[in-house]
Amino acid sequence: DGERHAMGELLGQLSERSFGVARLLISVLVQYLSANDAGPGFYDLATRKRLLRPRPSQDEKLVFWVQHVKAVCAYPW
């Protein structure tokens, strides 16, 4: 649990930096354990940054995730 929390903290810090530069959350590139998707922390941060509305449906999350992956990959880091 401690390692999982530490990883979440690190991903949050990286996303805060990338958001400051490009309004993108770079942690979108990290898949949640045993899933083809981002984890709940990613969606919570996206909601706090007002990139995603509060309490989105699963379909809204999927569409947002796909669009965000494309945007992060296309950005000239």
Side-chain angles (χ1 to χ4, degrees), residues 16-32:
E16 287 289 347
R17 284 185 175 193
S18 66
F19 185 80
V21 171
R23 290 193 48 84
L24 295 169
L25 304 174
I26 201 163
S27 62
V28 73
L29 300 177
V30 178
Q31 290 184 338
Y32 194 61

Side-chain angles (χ1 to χ4, degrees), residues 5-20:
H5 178 75
M7 181 59 74
E9 288 293 317
L10 176 62
L11 291 173
Q13 290 175 17
L14 291 170
S15 282
E16 287 289 347
R17 284 185 175 193
S18 66
F19 185 80

